[in-house]
Amino acid sequence: MSVEEQIKEIIARIVHVDKSALTREGTFKDLKADSLDVVQAMVAVEETFDIEIPDEEAQKFQNFGDFVDYVERRVAEKEKV
Amino acid sequence: MSLEGKLALVTGSGRGIGRAIALKLASQGVDIVVNFFRRREAAEKTAKDIEAMGVKTELIRANVGDPAKIDEMFDTIANKFGHLDILINNAASGVGRSVLDVDVKAWEWTMNANARASLLCAQRASKLMEGRGGKIVNISSLGSYFVLPTYAVVGVSKAALEALTRYLAIELAPKGICVNAVAASAVETEALKFYIKEGLIQDTRQATPAGRMVIPEDVAKVVAFLCSEEAFMIRGQTIIVDGGTSIALPVILRGGQQ
């Protein structure tokens, strides 16, 4: 499964929405997710991919597309090491 | 009250009250394990500032709401240092909701981070304190007793933490470990802006008999005292640091006007 698909599954599970509701342009706000949902989604993604997403970085994400791109980049960096 | 050469773990010490406690203890010669969760940059800065004081520091990322992460953190401390003298359960998290809006997820997240984490950290820490006469200080808040807007689940978790402080104090006393808590009123930190609106912060400032709001360093000084031998006979207490706010009736503070 691609990074994007895995992230979609995690967010859908935590925010209780259908995976099909998640698009690259979408945001947590669109899904009416609260701050706890956001933190829990971040933590679940971190654990799934064994990476760290500091709040300083997370705050820069404009939408899920940015989130996915960031995680893909970090996963690729990790594989290089 | 020298604490020279001791080793302390301060959970959530990247920012705010935890950072102030870490710096205060470091200024007294204590080596510090800086624990953080979400803000790496801030934690790295705290660690750097601690090192500049000439003591050792170790940075450990761990979500204390997760028991497995607590275990990993203590395994690291055990392997690296083999002992611990001081544990400050400061890390806290919470969901700001009124009591009727608290759901299971918000309850568990908050209780696990604020109450369960302190229990699990104390259990692991007590083993590393064996034969050393350790100190444990839990950081509470006035919301454990007083009702604050949208503070329900955090207040309940802090009440649990204060009760835990008393049980730990008695049950760890035979091991020579002193356990106490410090409860502050609203402290001027970044986290405060998350919980209460600026208007209310202004009101709190004006309503504090001591003439200003509590700052992180006020809490840190009391914590450092509780970590010293001077405080040896204080056990299981929650020391309130609030500039007098909690014992002064608002009506009196406003000059008797309704």
Side-chain angles (χ1 to χ4, degrees), chain A residues 14-16 34-37 39-40 42-43 46-47 51-56 58-59, chain B residues 15 36-42 61 63 66 69 94-95 97 103 105-107 109 194:
Chain A
I14 288 170
V15 188
H16 301 296
D34 60 26
S35 59
L36 180 54
D37 291 327
V39 174
Q40 289 189 324
M42 291 290 163
V43 173
E46 286 176 335
E47 285 178 356
I51 57 168
E52 189 181 319
I53 311 167
D55 273 358
E56 297 87 350
Q59 281 160 3
Chain B
R15 302 180 283 163
F36 74 101
F37 176 30
R38 302 293 318 161
R39 302 285 179 111
R40 179 173 282 279
E41 276 178 30
R61 180 175 195 255
N63 168 16
D66 181 344
K69 304 292 174 199
V95 182
R97 289 185 197 164
D103 57 13
K105 199 159 85 167
W107 173 272
W109 175 269
F194 179 77

Side-chain angles (χ1 to χ4, degrees), chain B residues 71-92:
Chain B
D71 273 335
E72 282 173 24
M73 173 166 68
F74 276 93
D75 288 347
T76 304
I77 296 170
N79 292 336
K80 191 126 192 171
F81 302 95
H83 70 273
L84 187 69
D85 300 294
I86 296 167
L87 164 68
I88 312 296
N89 283 312
N90 165 76

Side-chain angles (χ1 to χ4, degrees), chain B residues 4 26 29 53 68 77 84 98 162 174 181 183 185 229 247:
Chain B
E4 193 92 41
M53 292 175 170
I77 296 170
L84 187 69
S98 26
E162 291 179 15
S185 54
E229 287 310 303
I247 51 168

Side-chain angles (χ1 to χ4, degrees), chain A residues 35-36 39, chain B residues 15 17 90-98 102 106 109-111 113-114 139-141 143 148-158 184-201 204 213:
Chain A
S35 59
L36 180 54
V39 174
Chain B
R15 302 180 283 163
I17 298 170
N90 165 76
S93 187
V95 182
R97 289 185 197 164
S98 26
V102 174
W109 175 269
T110 310
M111 292 297 282
N114 300 355
I139 306 302
S140 186
S141 89
L148 310 171
T150 72
Y151 202 74
V153 65
V154 183
V156 172
S157 73
K158 293 300 192 184
S185 54
V187 180
E188 283 199 278
T189 63
E190 241 183 279
L192 183 67
K193 291 171 201 145
F194 179 77
Y195 284 112
I196 64 177
K197 294 186 185 79
E198 178 54 38
L200 196 55
I201 295 178
T204 308
M213 272 185 81

